[in-house]
Amino acid sequence: MFVDVIETYEFDYMALGVTYLIRFSSDGNIKWQKKYLLTENNKEIELSSIKNMKDGGFVVSGYVQSTSNSRNDFYIMKIKSEGGVEWNRIFS
């Protein structure tokens, strides 16, 4: 199930699932797909929103289970156009 789908500035599409991203061309061919996990404790990130950036990358936000209590922490990451993580942050 997709949470969000956007058209990129290159006229491709990005489909955001709860833990993954898929980039596909306008004719439906998959260019790449990636699942995102936190490296510490291999926790899954629950992704919920994606936005285009003018540099061709994307900002993705969501939540991750807090290590200190039972609530979720806010998660945000900047990814490059090919899906590599440029930076990420967790806010408690």
Side-chain angles (χ1 to χ4, degrees):
M1 178 175 96
F2 296 124
V3 177
D4 199 2
V5 177
I6 63 168
E7 185 175 13
T8 70
Y9 290 128
E10 294 85 23
F11 306 106
D12 291 338
Y13 295 93
M14 291 289 291
L16 176 71
V18 175
T19 59
Y20 59 91
L21 281 170
I22 300 173
R23 185 170 188 159
F24 55 97
S25 63
S26 59
D27 59 359
N29 292 318
I30 293 175
K31 291 186 159 190
W32 56 260
Q33 55 188 356
K34 293 187 186 265
K35 182 172 184 171
Y36 294 92
L37 298 169
L38 286 179
T39 53
E40 55 197 51
N41 302 328
N42 213 27
K43 288 188 172 187
E44 283 192 352
I45 304 160
E46 186 175 319
L47 304 173
S48 58
S49 179
I50 184 170
K51 300 294 180 205
N52 274 319
M53 301 303 292
K54 290 182 181 181
D55 65 1
F58 306 91
V59 171
V60 182
S61 64
Y63 298 91
V64 64
Q65 178 67 40
S66 174
T67 55
S68 60
N69 56 45
S70 61
R71 64 182 179 81
N72 289 331
D73 291 336
F74 180 70
Y75 179 82
I76 189 167
M77 71 176 161
K78 169 80 167 51
I79 62 169
K80 300 174 185 176
S81 63
E82 77 283 350
V85 176
E86 192 170 322
W87 55 260
N88 61 6
R89 305 284 186 279
I90 297 174
F91 300 94
S92 301

